Amino acid sequence: MTVPTCFRHPDRETYISCQRCGRPICPECMRPASVGFQCPECVAEGRKSQRVGRTAFGGKVHARDTLVTVSLIAVNVVIFLVVTALGPAGDQLVLELSMLSGEVPLRGIGPDSGVAAGEFWRIITSSFVHTGFLHLLFNMVAIGFIGPNLERVLGRWRYLALFLLSCLTAGTAVYWLSPPAALTYGASGGVFGLLAAALVVYRKQGYDVSALLLLLGVNLFFTFSVPNISWQGHIGGLVGGLITAAALAYAPRRGRTALHSAAFVGLTVLCVALIAARSFMLS
């Protein structure tokens, strides 16, 4: 009588078979299944055939569904700590990353600096620098308060696209509407985008959004009543968040991934065109 051996380890006797393919498997190769055991190959094949869980708006369901929110906060905090540790060099770094049209040179910035001079990274990097602890604290608390639920509902990549597009529209608005020599920085544009998106998404889901409307009203009041706050960036981020969230929430289920991608690309192209037009005017 032939003694069965594990198909992966021929030197090991076994009388257990994979419940899926029927091949003999040793204890090392056994993978618990709903009934009996399966071999590693069948388990891997089964995972490939499993349908990926989706959120209500098409994003993938992840076990760690606040990864993007935590990462955004971490990036802002790390940049702030680096800037603080560098001292005067850190102040110069903030100047290099902040939003600046470039038409009028500022102290520490040459006449060929700014978005109009080709430093287009400032449109986005300005959303990740803060020169004061309270400014950083308020923005990070806001992201930590609004972000996790949005990330769970939208999924990681849609949520990240929402935040970055809000930063992009905020930077575009600042570029067009702020004085050419004004420095603008901070994640407030992205925060206003998240707040606007929460209003759209929760309203779509049928939730009461009166508390969010009150929060938005309070923030808009401070935006226009407190000096040295970039209302341009706040309103730009708010508009970007509304547009992006509307595309995410109201796209039909059939083909929604393609529609979401088209909306992201369309808004990006619009902002790029506006930035190019403004740069041409300032050149």
Side-chain angles (χ1 to χ4, degrees):
M1 176 181 177
T2 303
V3 177
T5 59
C6 175
F7 81 97
R8 300 177 79 239
H9 303 96
D11 59 328
R12 302 178 188 178
E13 296 182 7
T14 181
Y15 292 90
I16 303 296
S17 298
C18 172
Q19 293 297 309
R20 187 168 181 175
C21 68
R23 293 177 292 186
I25 50 177
C26 66
E28 183 180 336
C29 299
M30 294 177 187
R31 302 293 184 268
S34 55
V35 177
F37 298 93
Q38 292 184 6
C39 65
E41 283 81 354
C42 287
V43 170
E45 188 65 30
R47 287 173 179 166
K48 290 180 182 178
S49 61
Q50 279 185 329
R51 295 186 63 183
V52 178
R54 294 283 177 178
T55 69
F57 298 98
K60 289 183 180 180
V61 176
H62 295 278
R64 296 179 61 188
D65 50 10
T66 59
L67 178 63
V68 176
T69 298
V70 172
S71 299
L72 288 174
I73 293 174
V75 168
N76 278 277
V77 170
V78 167
I79 291 176
F80 176 78
L81 293 176
V82 170
V83 166
T84 303
L86 290 176
D91 294 336
Q92 181 62 34
L93 178 62
V94 170
L95 291 176
E96 295 296 334
L97 298 179
S98 298
M99 186 64 197
L100 175 69
S101 296
E103 186 180 55
V104 180
L106 298 178
R107 179 178 57 84
I109 301 181
D112 295 327
S113 298
V115 178
E119 297 177 345
F120 298 109
W121 64 81
R122 292 175 179 271
I123 297 286
I124 295 296
T125 57
S126 58
S127 296
F128 292 90
V129 289
H130 301 76
T131 57
F133 175 74
L134 288 180
H135 189 200
L136 173 75
L137 178 64
F138 288 148
N139 280 333
M140 295 309 100
V141 168
I143 292 175
F145 176 71
I146 305 171
N149 284 333
L150 275 180
E151 186 173 351
R152 293 187 189 100
V153 172
L154 298 178
R156 287 178 182 172
W157 296 112
R158 287 167 172 81
Y159 170 73
L160 179 60
L162 165 69
F163 182 82
L164 293 178
L165 282 171
S166 298
C167 293
L168 178 61
T169 54
T172 304
V174 169
Y175 194 33
W176 269 89
L177 303 175
S178 292
L183 280 173
T184 306
Y185 42 77
S188 300
V191 169
F192 267 79
L194 295 183
L195 182 54
L199 285 169
V200 173
V201 168
Y202 296 158
R203 185 69 184 86
K204 171 66 175 177
Q205 293 181 312
Y207 296 144
D208 180 11
V209 295
S210 55
L212 284 175
L213 286 172
L214 177 61
L215 180 61
L216 176 61
V218 170
N219 278 277
L220 287 175
F221 171 77
F222 283 110
T223 294
F224 289 101
S225 62
V226 177
N228 299 321
I229 289 183
S230 175
W231 65 265
Q232 300 90 340
H234 290 190
I235 298 302
L238 182 70
V239 171
L242 284 173
I243 294 173
T244 307
L248 291 172
Y250 290 96
R253 182 177 294 271
R254 185 181 180 88
R256 63 184 172 187
T257 298
L259 292 172
H260 290 168
S261 299
F264 297 157
V265 172
L267 184 55
T268 301
V269 169
L270 175 61
C271 288
V272 169
L274 289 172
I275 292 168
R278 182 61 172 166
S279 296
F280 178 77
M281 293 171 60
L282 293 175
S283 62

